[in-house]
Amino acid sequence: MFSSDRNIETIGQLAEAVKHYVGLQHEYLKLDIIEKVVRLITVITLTAVLALLVILFLIYCSFAVAYALSPVVGTAVAFSIVAVFYLVILLLVVLFRQKWIERPVVKFLASLLMEK
């Protein structure tokens, strides 16, 4: 009764369907991982390029400010003022790194990697 040819054929078809489904899920998982890695690499590259441009901009602005202040306070003092300004910014970034850097990065990566 349970071993009729029709039942065996149906079980065989079911096994083939399950095997095909598992293969498709495996391919989908690989494509999903590839998409997320490509998006992550794109964001990292874009961030690096923008960071480089911002650094160059800040260097030129720093020299401009220092040279603009030099007739008033002297060249050495002007460059020192600019350096102290950057030191204050560095201290603020270190103090607030979790709020300004770590949390946004974790949220971004979580949204990127958990997205379906």
Side-chain angles (χ1 to χ4, degrees):
M1 182 178 212
F2 285 109
S3 62
S4 72
D5 290 338
R6 187 166 184 239
N7 286 343
I8 292 174
E9 184 179 320
T10 304
I11 291 173
Q13 289 173 346
L14 179 63
E16 284 297 317
V18 167
K19 185 178 177 182
H20 182 68
Y21 175 77
V22 168
L24 288 176
Q25 286 295 343
H26 180 71
E27 288 297 316
Y28 174 75
L29 182 63
K30 285 194 317 190
L31 290 173
D32 190 43
I33 290 171
I34 289 170
E35 176 197 5
K36 289 177 181 179
V37 167
V38 167
R39 287 180 57 196
L40 189 60
I41 289 171
T42 302
V43 167
I44 289 170
T45 304
L46 183 62
T47 303
V49 168
L50 289 176
L52 179 66
L53 292 174
V54 167
I55 288 169
L56 290 173
F57 173 77
L58 288 174
I59 288 171
Y60 282 107
C61 285
S62 298
F63 278 109
V65 168
Y67 282 117
L69 288 174
S70 67
V72 177
V73 294
T75 305
V77 175
F79 277 97
S80 297
I81 290 171
V82 172
V84 168
F85 174 75
Y86 282 120
L87 181 63
V88 169
I89 290 176
L90 174 68
L91 291 174
L92 288 174
V93 168
V94 168
L95 288 175
F96 296 107
R97 72 182 173 273
Q98 189 172 16
K99 183 178 180 181
W100 292 349
I101 298 171
E102 290 176 15
R103 285 185 193 154
V105 168
V106 168
K107 284 182 182 180
F108 169 73
L109 289 176
S111 70
L112 176 71
L113 297 175
M114 300 304 265
E115 184 180 275
K116 278 238 171 183

